[in-house]
Structure formats: C-alpha cells, structure tokens
Amino acid sequence: MSATVIAYAPPVEDRVAAAWQQRRSELMHDWLRNRFLPRLQACLAAPGAQASPLLFERFQATAHEWPARSAEIRALAEDCGEVMSPRRLAENVAAALDRDTAAFIRSTAFDLWALRSGILQALADVGETCDAADAAYARWAAEPSPAHLRALAARCERVASAVAILPARPGL
Amino acid sequence: MPITYVDDNLAQRDWKIEHPIAVRQTIIDYLSMPEPGDILIIHGGQRDARMIAPSGRELLLEAILRVCGNGGRAIVFSGGAPIISVRTIRETLSLASLHEGVHYLILTAIQNLPLEIDFPSLLRATPTPEWRIAEVKRRHAVPTLWTLALLCQSALLAFDPKNVDDEAVTLLGGREAMIAVRGSSGFTGDQLLAPHAWHGALAARAARPVCDAIEKEWPADAGTDDGVRRLVDALYDRSRALDAGTVAQAFCALYRALRQNQELQH
C-alpha cells in the first residue's frame, strides 16, 4: 500500500475530460461555429437570398461534410456520458475494494450524477436536435432553396446549443 | 488592480464581465487606453488579432507584450485555438523573457471562462514580480477530495435515510432518490460503514498523508475542512464504525469545496 494518496488520474489535469473537451471544441467551435455556419449565413445574407455561385460553392464544399459531422456529434455526446460520469473516477477508488462494494460505489456514483445533473435528458436532446438537423440537411440537399437553408441554419444552432450545455468535466 | 477584458464576442458568451473589470470590444480599443493595466484577459480569436501594429507585430501579440512588458499579466483564451498559433505566441513572448504560467496563460478549448479562471482570486491578486498568473487558474485535479466525496455519498446511501441530516439528503437528491438509487444498485454498501474499506480506497495506512492531501487540494474560500478532518480522524485515529452524522458533515463540506472550485457545475 502506498503512503501517498493518489486515487485517480494525473496530478494536474483530468486528461480524459480535457481530450473530450478538445474534441468538442474542434467540432463545435472550429468547424460548426467558425466554418459551416458562417458560410451558410453568407449565402443567406446575399441580396434577394440568391447567393452568388462562388458563395454557394464555398458553402457546398463544407456542407457535404454534415452527415459525417453529425455522426461525430452523436458520438461525442455518447462519450460524454462515460467521460463526465463520476463512475469513471470511481473506477480507481473501487479498485482497492471487494467486488460488491466496488459495484455499489460505481452504480451509485452514476445514478446520483444522472439524477442530479439531468445528463440523460441533455444527451437525448443532442440526439433529437441532430435528427432534426439531419432531416433539414436532407431537404436542403434535395432542394437547395433559401427556405431550406434557413431551416438548416436554425436546426444547426439548436444542435450547437444542445452540445454546449454538456458538462466539461466530471460531476458528482 | 486594473483588469481589462477584451472580447469582440462577449454578447454570445455564457458569462458576464462586471465592474471593476473594464471591458473593451477590440484590441485597438485596448491599445488606445492610456494605461496597460495589471491584467489583460483577451479572446485569442479576435477579428483584429492579425492586424499589424506600427511596431510590425500583430495586434494580439502587441497587446500581450504591452501589459506584460509593464509588469502585468495576460490571459489568452479561446473556444478553440487562438488565431495566432500557440507556438508563435510562446516563441514571441519567450524572446521577451516572458514565461507561460508566470506572465501569461493560454487557455484553449474553453467552454466557460469562469470555470477555468478564479475571478474572485484574480480581483484580489497583486502582481508582484514573483506572482504567477497560474495561481488563478482553477485546479481540477483534486483526487483525494473526489475520492472522499464518492465514498461519502455511497456510504450515506448505506445508512438509514432517516439518520442522515437534511442538508446531505438535499445534496444527494432527496430521501426518495436515496432509497431508489440504493435499491437499483442491488447492494447495501454496508462495508463502507467500517473504516478498513476507506483505508484501501484512499491507499493510505495513516491519517497524515490524507490530511496533507486535503490541505493541498482544499480550495481557498471554501470554508473550513473541519468536517472532513473529523471524518479522517474517525477513520484512522479512532478507527471504529462510522456514524451518519460524521459522514454527512464531511460530505456537505466536500460538496461545497468541489463546487467552490467549480468542479461541480450544478
């Protein structure tokens, strides 16, 4: 038995949570907020909502990434449930305990967190907003009208809002 | 201590910046201020970050060098990465003998700045030449506090809810929730009522290393850690069966401490 108290994780930062946060940042901040949506908005801002071929092509070059990015957003949310759950932190606590006590700590850590944080609803919201954005994307891809583009922008904003409220670090 | 916050996207943020921190929208606004101030908090994705100053440097670097060159400190934050690469910022500041953690911080992939920076501490700080800006960065690695909090909450479920005090019950989500969560686990957690399980989970044979770790991890302004120390005392110095009151007091103190350090977001 060690004389020092190192119950879990590295001494300075929770790198697992930081890596998840980095993923969220690249996907939602760098791609969606700073690339996809500005190009989409540029098309909508064109006079008479008729985007120039150049603006339209520029958006299309990014727009075709949506299906893959949507899947990444869903995966990000799914991983959040594990990465931010105190059950992950409880793993190392439980390692020194008998099987039943360890299982008790793991399950109560997750259940109490889920109850208090509302995380399950937040994750469901991400899924629902992605479904709606996927449908809006399909409508726009079939008929690239300004109305469908506006609808896609609105749905993507909702995805961004739903992902933004997911926690950035484990909760109790 | 004059603090300036520069952000051309503040209206979209999840946080507010209030007096006495001065808010400026652009880097040019900041550079126009007669004094550089003691602390500059600046968004690394500013639209004017890459504009060139009369010195030939980009405005973002110019602003950081202005405040740090006058003995102040800078915090550069971004939801992703700064427009000017972190490597370039570090190299430029290094040439001016400015060191990360001491003179400046670069915070990338930031979702919520107050979760990363302890603003109350920042407002109280006095930047002496030795003062490290890293001191106001919130510490998110508090393994001993986390371990104790996890053990406490599980142990509280093992007690009869009627014996757990109201504050702890509220923090746990209510008596009905306690009963439901305990029931769904399929176990009773009785072993957590005796100290030896805690000794193993804490990986410590004596109270001293646990108390030392608590002292290091306990956030400033989180109130007293007496309740936690009483628990440790019960666990090691008077090794005996635990009572609900001792565990509940410790849990409430730990919960407050973790929340004070923004470990808990709810």
Side-chain angles (χ1 to χ4, degrees):
Chain A
M1 193 179 287
S2 164
T4 55
V5 181
I6 303 295
Y8 91 97
V12 180
E13 291 287 350
D14 180 344
R15 290 182 187 160
V16 177
W20 184 90
Q21 176 61 12
Q22 186 64 40
R23 263 173 76 198
R24 169 160 68 175
S25 166
E26 287 168 6
L27 197 51
M28 307 308 291
H29 177 273
D30 297 351
W31 186 79
L32 186 66
R33 284 260 179 237
N34 285 343
R35 193 175 162 91
F36 183 89
L37 285 173
R39 290 180 180 194
L40 188 159
Q41 299 294 358
C43 290
L44 284 175
Q50 288 299 313
S52 71
L54 187 65
L55 284 177
F56 189 72
E57 276 176 29
R58 198 157 172 258
F59 172 59
Q60 269 198 319
T62 306
H64 79 275
E65 294 177 35
W66 174 260
R69 296 294 189 176
S70 173
E72 285 179 45
I73 292 168
R74 291 170 196 269
L76 181 82
E78 198 173 311
D79 291 347
C80 177
E82 276 308 308
V83 170
M84 300 307 167
S85 163
R87 183 164 54 196
R88 180 170 62 82
L89 308 182
E91 286 299 328
N92 289 332
V93 176
L97 303 173
D98 69 87
R99 199 176 60 182
D100 286 356
T101 308
F104 182 72
I105 288 177
R106 275 194 290 266
S107 73
T108 54
F110 180 83
D111 290 348
L112 285 169
W113 174 65
L115 189 79
R116 290 186 293 226
S117 67
I119 187 71
L120 298 180
Q121 184 58 52
L123 297 178
D125 288 347
V126 173
E128 282 175 21
T129 57
C130 281
D131 288 345
D134 287 349
Y137 175 82
R139 282 192 294 274
W140 173 80
E143 185 193 331
S145 67
H148 286 159
L149 200 55
R150 263 192 296 277
L152 177 59
R155 300 295 183 277
C156 289
E157 287 287 355
R158 285 182 198 167
V159 172
S161 299
V163 175
I165 65 167
L166 297 180
R169 59 181 56 90
L172 188 63
Chain B
M1 180 180 64
I3 302 175
T4 310
Y5 175 93
V6 178
D7 187 356
D8 55 13
N9 203 24
L10 179 57
Q12 307 299 318
R13 305 291 182 200
D14 289 337
W15 61 86
K16 290 188 179 6
I17 300 295
E18 295 171 340
H19 182 77
I21 299 176
V23 176
R24 295 290 181 273
Q25 193 171 9
T26 68
I27 304 177
I28 293 171
D29 292 341
Y30 167 70
L31 292 172
S32 303
M33 293 170 74
E35 298 294 331
D38 288 330
I39 305 282
L40 171 66
I41 305 167
I42 186 165
H43 173 216
Q46 288 286 110
R47 280 186 280 277
D48 55 352
R50 280 199 170 284
M51 287 173 62
I52 303 300
S55 65
R57 282 187 292 261
E58 289 152 312
L59 289 189
L60 179 62
L61 295 169
E62 185 76 2
I64 301 168
L65 285 164
R66 182 182 187 223
V67 67
C68 293
N70 281 279
R73 303 290 190 270
I75 298 170
V76 184
F77 71 93
S78 173
I83 282 180
I84 297 172
S85 76
V86 172
R87 184 177 169 183
T88 301
I89 295 173
R90 283 181 180 140
E91 285 175 357
T92 305
L93 299 183
S94 170
L95 290 173
S97 298
L98 298 171
H99 305 292
E100 192 164 7
V102 179
H103 302 102
Y104 68 94
L105 284 177
I106 303 176
L107 306 175
T108 59
I110 294 300
Q111 189 78 10
N112 192 324
L113 193 61
L115 292 181
E116 309 299 331
I117 294 295
D118 184 346
F119 275 93
S121 294
L122 185 65
L123 288 165
R124 285 195 306 271
T126 307
T128 60
E130 300 78 31
W131 185 70
R132 297 170 55 84
I133 186 71
E135 285 182 22
V136 299
K137 187 176 186 310
R138 292 190 188 278
R139 293 173 300 156
H140 294 304
V142 285
T144 308
L145 302 188
W146 265 108
T147 299
L148 284 165
L150 286 168
L151 290 166
C152 280
Q153 69 170 11
S154 293
L156 287 171
L157 293 179
F159 289 111
D160 183 337
K162 282 183 280 189
N163 296 330
V164 179
D165 75 35
D166 289 345
E167 185 185 3
V169 167
T170 302
L171 294 177
L172 286 167
R175 286 199 164 79
E176 287 180 14
M178 289 171 68
I179 293 165
V181 168
R182 175 177 166 157
S184 69
S185 76
F187 304 100
T188 60
D190 284 347
Q191 290 215 357
L192 289 170
L193 304 186
H196 69 267
W198 297 64
H199 296 175
L202 288 162
R205 288 178 185 161
R208 180 67 183 273
V210 181
C211 290
D212 288 349
I214 290 168
E215 193 175 330
K216 282 181 193 155
E217 295 176 15
W218 200 259
D221 297 344
T224 172
D225 61 359
D226 291 352
V228 185
R229 286 179 183 276
R230 270 194 291 277
L231 171 68
V232 175
D233 184 44
L235 288 170
Y236 288 99
D237 296 341
R238 289 179 283 121
S239 196
R240 55 180 166 72
L242 294 170
D243 64 84
T246 303
V247 179
Q249 273 192 349
F251 177 68
C252 293
L254 287 159
Y255 196 96
R256 282 192 293 268
L258 290 168
R259 190 164 50 189
Q260 176 72 23
N261 213 24
Q262 301 292 325
E263 294 287 342
L264 304 180
Q265 295 177 31
H266 52 86

